[in-house]
Amino acid sequence: MTNQLHFPDLAWKSNQERLAVEVSVDFLPAEYENNWHRGVHECVADWVKKNNFKKEATLWTWAGPSVNLISRHPQYQAPTLSEFIVQFGLSDNFMIMLMQMLVGKFDNQVGASELFRPHRDEGWLAFCHIEQGRVWKCEDADTWEPFGVAESKVSRKRKK
């Protein structure tokens, strides 16, 4: 099994409405500040393993201002920064499960968002890819490395 993917064929379909999961990145627990992708990778890796998923899929993200989760922070009067996640290659049921898993991990700073019709030229970035029954994280523009044990151990240590 390879330890790197170079220019993988990322799952994407133009002009499709996608259910989005919104992450309010301004209010994440300290262990996920500036590294919230790791929490998503952990959830996806658990799901892939439990479901023996062997197909290819990609999760994409787009950042923007939002007031969707502002009611959880009544002290704020202005929009906050959120990241919106969409997927290609998985079902909408997967996204609902992902949102449920992230609620606990991200201290309830996550929710279902409106449907998006993402266009790649609007700044959507791939950050999580599933291939060969493994979860991959983007290291640079053309190289993907497997998400694995080292990242999960860091997360468990921080929780203690």
Side-chain angles (χ1 to χ4, degrees), residues 3-8 137-145:
N3 285 326
Q4 286 189 331
L5 294 177
H6 296 283
F7 297 105
K137 60 183 182 168
C138 186
E139 286 300 312
D140 60 41
D142 66 340
T143 306
W144 290 72
E145 295 188 351

Side-chain angles (χ1 to χ4, degrees), residues 21 23 36 60-65 81-86 114 116 118-119 122-125 127:
V21 170
V23 177
W36 67 272
W60 299 77
T61 186
W62 176 82
L81 180 63
S82 284
E83 294 266 355
F84 299 88
I85 305 167
V86 297
E114 64 271 7
F116 275 87
H119 298 278
E122 293 175 340
W124 287 89
L125 300 172
F127 75 97

